């Protein structure tokens, strides 16, 4: 379809046609003026010429017919006038053809005219020359030439008139063509465009009507509330969702201001900022805490924008709002989950960190001190394992409440997880201010805790670090508090310990151990030592406990009790245990120990790994020495997950390995749990053995463990035998047949251990 001419193009064509028509009109007027001027000149010259010719002929005839003296006088009076008329004709000839008549041969009318008047002059001066003059006048060609000039004037006048008529015809034709083009290019397209514009206008009206209908439906059915106010903030209209959210009907809010939604939860400064931002930016988004018609408070998320007129003046305020109260509640719940402990509702590690950072800033500003107190419940794991996690959760909740009640409003109590709590005490002068608080906590904990049908006695170990005396940042303070707490737990539990320089030395030593331990295995710095296990009655070696030693070029000899826990925290203990097992396998496979068993201590961290059995199978897959390998596991390591331990130990037993429970008596395992395990021996913790000389409790505990071993039908092995009295007690009173210790033999290097196994001379 051909594209219709645009309105702009029509205007351009119309302008060109009008310019063309104006040009034709100008040319017409100009040609008419010039033609009229030439025509008038022709008429004027022709008339003068004819009059001159007639007057000359009349005078000539009169002269020929009469020699009247009066005529001569008249001729004298008019000759000059006639001469002037000829001069006029000569100087005002309008035509090239007439010009040739006067100036060119053969006519030379100018010469003939001058000769004619000269003759008249002589005649007037000398009348006696009449005959000569008469002859000349009769033979002169002046009069015919004058008549010829008159005819030429008439012919030229008719030609010019015809030319003028033709020009007028051309101009008329141009005007008609102009009108025709205007009709074709302007009037017809304009009419079409007028029709098209009308159709477009009708379609536009239809579209706008449809849009208004859509907008009306959107306004009515929008899930968000919509409120419209005028420039004075007076409500003009609201939709049904606004009524649903706020509880006010349209009639109740029309003509009023939105102030009816205000609550006391937002002060005037908020609204001042709101209006300033809205007028500056022409829009605003944020939240109001408003009041519904029934008086309930709700959170309203709102977007407000301005509508202005053509002059830039504000006409309307449009507010779009939604009730986000439920979302705010969900958000608060999420924040609580992120920042608060679910069980005790105390701040968690993240929130506590933030609180301490703020407290440190305040302490620096006001020159105050603050303290971090780290709590760890003593033997809490046994509560979970023996009484259930439900009882343990109640204990933790009660501890959280107790610690909170011991603090001021400006202090903070948090739970880091498990049975570990931490307290922030602000605005203290020195550590003496903390002692009453710590003693109060100990006193409250000493009171029996009744949970369901159980009466529990809870104790805890506490470590204290002070800002800025001990450290000037949160991480170091927490580390020092942990060091002090560990010191309190290590030295008897149920006590508190302040961080000291000596403890700091221990921390620095631990850091050095961490730094050097990373590359110790790769640098082959570990060695195995072997402590004999004896049949006490026969003083015969029945096996060896494999111990690991660390010889570091920087630190020297580092005992296992210093680096094993560090290795567990670093995650390198798995590689160390694997190296020990591989070394034991190779020694046994080489037949170094004459068929005796080697006991290997397995870290609880490694025992609890999902791939522990797979690692053992991989290490001993091609070996036949499994029956000579004894795995020593602590009672505490087994008690963490008895069902897992039972399944894993049974699988080890099926493979031919033997199982020994190490440090027995320190944990809180029940006899029922232990009986079901495939255990070969129980090792009596050396703490009980070392106390049999001074403590009745130690003797009773040792005898009880031996009795448990006999009931389980396993070997009791006493650890840490260091004196003859201890050995005598074990043999005579406890009837413990197996043991090890410095009194019997120190841990030996491999060559020394093998030397003990060589037959003595005479045997």
């Amino acid at each position: 379809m051909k594209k219709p001419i645009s309105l702009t193009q029509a205007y351009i064509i119309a302008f060109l046609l009008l310019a063309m028509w104006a040009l034709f009109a100008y040319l017409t007027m100009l040609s008419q003026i010039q033609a009229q001027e030439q025509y008038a000149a022709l008429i004027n010259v022709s008339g003068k010429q004819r009059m001159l010719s007639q007057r000359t002929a009349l005078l000539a005839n009169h002269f020929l017919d009469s020699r009247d003296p009066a005529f001569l006088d008249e001729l004298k009076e008019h000759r000059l006038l006639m001469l002037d008329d000829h001069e006029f004709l000569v100087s005002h000839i309008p035509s090239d053809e007439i010009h040739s008549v006067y100036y060119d041969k053969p006519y030379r009318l100018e010469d003939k005219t001058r000769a004619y008047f000269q003759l008249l002059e002589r005649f007037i001066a000398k009348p006696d020359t009449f005959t000569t003059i008469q002859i000349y006048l009769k033979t002169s060609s002046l009069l015919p030439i004058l008549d010829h000039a008159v005819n030429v004037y008439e012919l030229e006048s008719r030609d010019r008139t015809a030319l003028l008529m033709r020009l007028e015809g051309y101009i008329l034709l141009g005007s008609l063509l102009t009108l025709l083009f205007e009709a074709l290019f302007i009037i017809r397209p304009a009419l079409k465009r007028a029709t098209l514009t009308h159709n477009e206008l009708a379609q536009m009206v239809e579209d706008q009507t449809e849009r208004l209908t859509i907008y009306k439906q959107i306004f009515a059915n929008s899930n968000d509330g919509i409120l419209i106010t005028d420039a004075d903030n007076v409500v003009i209209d609201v939709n049904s969702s606004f009524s649903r959210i706020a509880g006010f009907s349209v009639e109740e809010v029309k003509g009023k201001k939105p102030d009816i939604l205000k609550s006391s939860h937002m002060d005037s400064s908020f609204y001042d900022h709101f209006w300033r931002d809205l007028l500056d930016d022409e829009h605003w988004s944020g939240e109001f805490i408003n009041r519904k018609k029934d008086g309930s408070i709700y959170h309203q998320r709102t977007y407000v924008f301005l509508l202005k007129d053509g002059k830039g003046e504000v006409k309307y305020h449009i507010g779009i709002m939604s009730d986000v109260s439920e979302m705010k509640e969900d958000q608060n719940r999420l924040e609580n989950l992120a920042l608060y402990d679910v069980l005790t509702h105390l701040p968690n590690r993240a929130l506590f960190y933030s609180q301490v950072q703020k407290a440190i800033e305040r302490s620096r500003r006001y020159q105050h001190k603050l303290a971090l107190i780290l709590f760890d419940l003593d033997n809490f794991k046994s509560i979970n394992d023996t009484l259930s996690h439900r009882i343990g959760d109640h204990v933790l909740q009660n501890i959280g409440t107790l610690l909170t009640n011991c603090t001021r409003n400006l202090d903070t109590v948090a739970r880091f997880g498990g049975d570990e709590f931490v307290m922030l005490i602000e605005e203290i002068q020195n550590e003496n201010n903390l002692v009453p608080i710590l003693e109060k906590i100990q006193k409250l904990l000493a009171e029996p805790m009744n949970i369901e049908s159980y009466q529990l006695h809870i104790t805890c170990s506490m470590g204290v670090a002070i800002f800025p005396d001990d450290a000037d940042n949160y991480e170091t303070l927490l580390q020092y508090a942990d060091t002090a707490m560990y010191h309190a737990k290590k030295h008897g539990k149920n006590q508190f310990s302040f961080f000291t320089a000596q403890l700091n030395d221990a921390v620095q030593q631990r850091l050095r151990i961490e730094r050097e331990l990373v590359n110790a295995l790769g640098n082959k710095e570990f060695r195995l030592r072997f402590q004999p296990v004896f049949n006490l009655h026969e003083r015969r070696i029945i096996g060896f406990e494999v111990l690991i030693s660390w010889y570091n070029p920087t630190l020297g000899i580092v005992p296992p009790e210093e680096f094993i826990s560090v290795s567990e925290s670093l995650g390198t203990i798995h590689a160390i245990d694997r190296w020990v097992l591989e070394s034991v396998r190779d020694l046994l496979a080489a037949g170094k120990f004459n068929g005796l068993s080697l006991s290997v201590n397995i870290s609880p961290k490694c025992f609890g790994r999902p791939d522990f059995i797979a690692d053992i199978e991989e290490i001993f897959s091609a070996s036949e020495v499994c029956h000579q390998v004894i795995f020593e596991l602590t009672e505490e390591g087994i008690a963490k997950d008895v069902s897992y331990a039972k399944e894993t130990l049974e699988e080890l037993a099926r493979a031919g390995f033997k199982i020994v429970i190490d440090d027995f008596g320190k944990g809180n395992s029940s006899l029922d749990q232990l009986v079901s395990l495939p255990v070969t021996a129980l090792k009596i913790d050396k703490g009980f053995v070392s106390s049999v000389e001074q403590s009745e409790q130690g003797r009773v505990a040792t005898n009880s463990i031996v009795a448990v071993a006999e009931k389980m039908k396993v070997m009791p092995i006493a650890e840490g035998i260091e004196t003859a009295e201890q050995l005598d007690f074990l043999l005579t009173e406890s009837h413990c047949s197996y043991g090890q210790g410095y009194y019997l033999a120190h841990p030996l290097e491999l060559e020394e251990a093998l030397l003990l196994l060589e037959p003595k001379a005479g045997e």
Side-chain angles (χ1 to χ4, degrees):
M1 181 179 178
K2 188 177 179 181
K3 185 177 180 181
I5 188 171
S6 67
L7 190 59
T8 303
Q9 292 172 329
Y11 286 153
I12 293 174
I13 295 173
F15 175 78
L16 293 175
L17 291 175
L18 289 175
M20 186 185 299
W21 182 85
L23 179 60
F24 275 118
Y26 171 75
L27 293 175
T28 301
M29 294 176 64
L30 182 62
S31 62
Q32 286 180 349
I33 292 171
Q34 291 177 348
Q36 290 295 336
E37 289 177 350
Q38 293 182 1
Y39 189 61
L42 284 173
I43 293 174
N44 184 34
V45 172
S46 177
K48 285 182 176 291
Q49 183 66 54
R50 184 174 295 277
M51 180 181 69
L52 180 61
S53 177
Q54 290 175 351
R55 289 171 62 190
T56 304
L58 179 62
L59 288 173
N61 290 332
H62 197 181
F63 173 75
L64 293 174
D65 292 341
S66 173
R67 295 181 62 187
D68 186 1
F71 171 72
L72 294 175
D73 294 335
E74 182 180 356
L75 185 60
K76 289 179 181 179
E77 294 176 0
H78 291 285
R79 71 181 186 278
L80 296 176
L81 179 60
M82 292 174 64
L83 181 60
D84 290 338
D85 288 339
H86 277 281
E87 291 292 337
F88 172 79
L89 290 175
V90 171
S91 60
H92 293 85
I93 299 297
S95 170
D96 292 340
E97 186 175 349
I98 301 301
H99 186 279
S100 66
V101 171
Y102 272 87
Y103 297 104
D104 299 335
K105 293 179 180 180
Y107 300 109
R108 300 289 297 184
L109 180 59
E110 180 187 18
D111 296 339
K112 294 183 182 296
T113 302
R114 292 185 181 279
Y116 179 77
F117 280 102
Q118 288 175 359
L119 183 62
L120 287 179
E121 288 289 342
R122 288 197 304 270
F123 174 74
I124 295 170
K126 298 177 179 181
D128 56 344
T129 61
F130 171 75
T131 303
T132 304
I133 294 172
Q134 185 180 28
I135 294 172
Y136 177 79
L137 289 174
K138 287 182 179 181
T139 61
S140 175
S141 60
L142 176 61
L143 295 179
I145 291 174
L146 289 174
D147 290 337
H148 174 72
V150 171
N151 292 332
V152 170
Y153 285 139
E154 291 177 353
L155 291 174
E156 187 172 343
S157 178
R158 285 196 298 268
D159 292 340
R160 289 182 178 276
T161 300
L163 177 61
L164 180 60
M165 292 179 66
R166 285 196 300 273
L167 288 174
E168 289 179 349
Y170 294 150
I171 293 172
L172 178 60
L173 178 60
S175 299
L176 291 175
L177 290 175
T178 301
L179 293 175
L180 178 61
F181 286 142
E182 187 170 357
L184 289 175
F185 291 100
I186 297 178
I187 298 176
R188 183 170 174 270
L191 290 175
K192 287 185 177 180
R193 178 157 294 278
T195 304
L196 182 63
T197 303
H198 173 74
N199 294 335
E200 290 178 346
L201 182 61
Q203 183 64 40
M204 186 182 300
V205 172
E206 183 179 350
D207 292 344
Q208 291 297 328
T209 302
E210 183 178 357
R211 288 180 182 176
L212 288 175
T213 302
I214 294 173
Y215 295 156
K216 183 178 179 181
Q217 292 297 321
I218 293 174
F219 180 80
N221 298 297
S222 172
N223 191 51
D224 291 332
I226 301 176
L227 180 144
I228 304 174
T229 66
D230 60 15
D232 296 325
N233 202 32
V234 176
V235 177
I236 298 175
D237 199 3
V238 296
N239 67 350
S240 58
S241 293
F242 172 87
S243 300
R244 172 178 54 79
I245 294 171
F248 293 97
S249 65
V250 179
E251 293 74 17
E252 289 174 321
V253 295
K254 267 190 176 180
K256 298 180 181 179
K257 293 192 174 183
D259 296 352
I260 58 175
L261 301 176
K262 275 188 177 181
S263 70
S264 58
H265 291 264
M266 310 190 79
D267 55 25
S268 59
S269 63
F270 172 84
Y271 292 99
D272 293 339
H273 285 89
F274 161 73
W275 282 110
R276 185 178 66 247
D277 294 343
L278 177 61
L279 296 177
D280 290 344
D281 301 333
E282 300 185 8
H283 64 87
W284 181 89
S285 61
E287 288 187 8
F288 291 97
I289 302 177
N290 281 344
R291 187 184 303 276
K292 297 184 179 182
K293 181 181 178 181
D294 60 8
S296 61
I297 301 299
Y298 72 102
H299 289 263
Q300 175 184 298
R301 179 170 293 170
T302 307
Y303 176 71
V304 185
F305 61 94
L306 305 179
L307 287 183
K308 296 184 176 182
D309 57 17
K311 298 179 180 179
E313 299 293 332
V314 176
K315 292 288 290 182
Y316 304 104
H317 307 130
I318 311 296
I320 303 173
M321 61 201 67
S322 57
D323 186 350
V324 294
S325 299
E326 292 184 2
M327 186 177 71
K328 292 293 290 186
E329 292 177 0
D330 293 340
Q331 182 179 348
N332 290 335
R333 283 194 291 269
L334 290 175
E335 288 181 355
N336 285 333
L337 289 174
L339 300 176
Y340 291 89
D341 176 57
V342 177
L343 180 63
T344 62
H345 305 295
L346 294 174
N348 62 10
R349 187 183 296 269
L351 181 56
F352 185 75
Y353 169 79
S354 175
Q355 299 284 56
V356 173
Q357 293 291 74
K358 296 176 182 177
I360 288 176
E361 291 300 320
R362 288 192 294 270
S363 295
R364 286 173 175 159
R365 184 180 304 116
Y366 301 113
Q367 300 298 310
H368 292 156
K369 295 182 180 182
L370 60 84
L372 251 62
I373 307 173
L374 197 61
F375 300 83
D376 187 80
L377 303 184
D378 300 327
N379 304 320
F380 175 73
K381 187 178 183 306
S382 63
I383 296 176
N384 279 335
D385 293 341
T386 59
L387 302 181
S388 79
H389 286 276
R390 185 186 73 258
I391 300 300
D393 289 345
H394 283 301
V395 170
L396 294 175
Q397 290 171 339
N398 290 347
I399 294 296
T401 302
L402 182 148
L403 294 178
T404 302
N405 292 336
C406 292
T407 59
R408 303 161 297 177
N409 291 334
L410 60 86
D411 301 325
T412 304
V413 177
R415 180 186 176 220
F416 278 5
D419 60 340
E420 191 174 49
F421 293 83
V422 64
M423 182 182 294
L424 167 66
I425 306 293
E426 296 191 55
E427 298 183 9
I428 62 172
Q429 298 300 321
N430 51 55
E431 64 182 41
N432 294 331
N433 299 134
L434 297 173
V435 173
I437 299 175
L438 300 174
E439 291 176 344
K440 180 180 179 181
I441 293 173
Q442 283 184 319
K443 182 178 179 181
L444 291 174
L445 285 175
E447 297 178 2
M449 186 179 295
N450 297 309
I451 299 177
E452 296 185 3
S453 60
Y454 301 100
Q455 188 178 73
L456 304 176
H457 295 271
I458 307 297
T459 62
C460 72
S461 301
M462 295 173 278
V464 185
I466 298 175
F467 171 90
D469 296 352
D470 298 328
D472 62 353
N473 61 83
Y474 168 78
E475 290 79 7
T476 308
L477 277 174
L478 188 62
Q479 180 182 352
Y480 286 175
D482 183 68
T483 300
M485 185 269 294
Y486 178 77
H487 181 267
K489 185 175 287 291
K490 185 177 180 180
H491 290 78
K493 304 179 181 180
N494 191 26
Q495 58 181 293
F496 55 85
S497 174
F498 287 90
F499 181 79
T500 63
Q502 291 75 18
L503 291 179
N504 186 43
D505 293 340
V507 170
Q508 296 303 319
Q509 175 67 5
R510 180 184 176 91
L511 293 176
R512 287 191 291 269
I513 290 174
E514 288 181 357
R515 187 168 54 251
E516 297 293 333
L517 192 59
V518 174
N519 299 315
L521 191 60
N523 294 337
K524 298 181 180 181
E525 297 176 5
F526 293 114
R527 299 180 188 177
L528 295 182
R529 304 181 72 192
F530 303 86
Q531 184 168 31
V533 179
F534 290 88
N535 180 318
L536 299 180
H537 292 284
E538 302 175 3
R539 290 292 183 94
R540 176 173 53 86
I541 297 175
I542 62 172
F544 290 89
E545 179 181 359
V546 179
L547 304 174
I548 186 171
S549 295
W550 179 22
Y551 295 85
N552 180 263
T554 302
L555 302 176
I557 300 176
V558 184
E561 58 269 18
E562 290 188 17
F563 73 82
I564 291 295
S565 60
V566 178
S567 178
E568 288 178 340
S569 63
L570 289 177
T572 59
I573 189 64
H574 173 64
I576 294 175
D577 275 5
R578 186 181 181 92
W579 175 80
V580 172
L581 289 171
E582 289 175 346
S583 300
V584 168
R585 176 201 63 194
D586 295 341
L587 289 172
L588 293 175
K592 297 289 187 180
F593 287 90
N594 300 330
L596 296 179
S597 297
L598 296 181
S599 298
V600 180
N601 292 280
I602 301 297
S603 167
K605 293 281 187 181
C606 295
F607 181 71
R609 288 168 57 93
D611 55 355
F612 174 71
I613 291 295
D615 285 347
I616 298 299
E617 290 177 349
E618 179 185 351
I619 294 171
F620 292 95
S621 60
S623 175
E624 297 180 357
V625 298
C626 298
H627 63 284
Q628 291 180 258
V629 178
I630 300 174
F631 290 116
E632 293 195 15
L633 298 164
T634 63
E635 180 185 2
E636 185 179 2
I638 293 175
K640 287 183 177 180
D641 190 341
V642 176
S643 60
Y644 165 79
K646 184 175 184 299
E647 180 182 350
T648 304
L649 295 179
E650 287 176 349
E651 194 164 351
L652 292 173
R654 284 193 295 270
F657 298 101
K658 298 180 179 65
I659 311 299
V660 171
I661 298 180
D662 194 15
D663 297 336
F664 189 79
K666 291 177 63 176
N668 294 283
S669 301
S670 66
L671 185 60
D672 293 338
Q673 292 174 334
L674 296 177
V675 169
S676 62
L677 300 177
V679 176
T680 303
L682 299 179
K683 278 195 170 183
I684 305 170
D685 183 69
K686 63 181 180 180
F688 297 123
V689 175
S690 63
S691 65
V692 296
E693 297 178 75
Q694 298 87 15
S695 169
E696 178 65 25
Q697 185 178 2
R699 290 191 289 271
V700 171
T702 302
N703 291 336
S704 298
I705 294 172
V706 173
V708 169
E710 292 177 351
K711 186 174 182 179
M712 293 176 60
K713 298 181 180 180
V714 299
M715 295 170 52
I717 302 175
E719 291 186 296
I721 303 173
E722 298 181 353
T723 65
E725 289 77 9
Q726 295 171 3
L727 177 61
D728 183 64
F729 174 82
L730 292 170
L731 290 174
T732 59
E733 187 171 340
S734 293
H735 304 290
C736 178
S737 301
Y738 306 96
Q740 64 187 83
Y742 287 179
Y743 179 74
L744 301 172
H746 285 264
L748 306 171
E749 298 293 338
L750 176 62
E751 294 77 10
E752 296 173 330
L754 295 178
L755 186 61
L756 285 179
L757 298 179
E758 293 181 0
K760 303 291 190 297
E763 290 185 359

